[in-house]
Amino acid sequence: MMNSNTRAKLRSLAMNIQPLTQVGKNGISDTLIKQVDEQLESRELIKIAVLKNAEVDAGAVALELAEATSSEVVQVIGSKITLYRVSKKDNVKHVL
């Protein structure tokens, strides 16, 4: 569990990144979970957009993806979700 200082640092870093993945009308699938997991492993901090035609709430998507990928929700603003997980790869530039 991250503290408020860490969360604030990650939120400021997330301001400059674009969403890599979109959640649409199909909601959360195994393919989406795998894609998010791979992105977290290679980048650590990612942003996800929940499209307007999605039948799920961004907060619920954030919690479900965080649980499925063993990551932490940094923030949910409107339809944008930011997730963080420390990478296990050695060649990744760590965010923190």
Side-chain angles (χ1 to χ4, degrees), residues 15-85:
M15 289 176 60
N16 299 320
I17 62 174
Q18 295 297 316
L20 296 174
T21 304
Q22 298 177 339
V23 178
K25 65 180 179 180
N26 295 333
I28 298 174
S29 64
D30 291 339
T31 306
L32 177 70
I33 292 170
K34 183 179 178 189
Q35 183 179 18
V36 168
D37 189 56
E38 290 170 358
Q39 290 171 354
L40 284 165
E41 196 59 37
S42 64
R43 297 178 185 248
E44 292 190 336
L45 183 67
I46 64 167
K47 198 178 278 189
I48 301 164
V50 179
L51 301 177
K52 290 182 181 183
N53 66 348
E55 298 176 2
V56 289
D57 176 54
V61 170
L63 292 175
E64 191 172 339
L65 284 174
E67 184 177 330
T69 60
S70 301
S71 60
E72 293 194 57
V73 178
V74 175
Q75 66 181 356
V76 178
I77 297 179
S79 63
K80 303 287 190 271
I81 300 165
T82 306
L83 297 178
Y84 173 75
R85 182 180 75 198

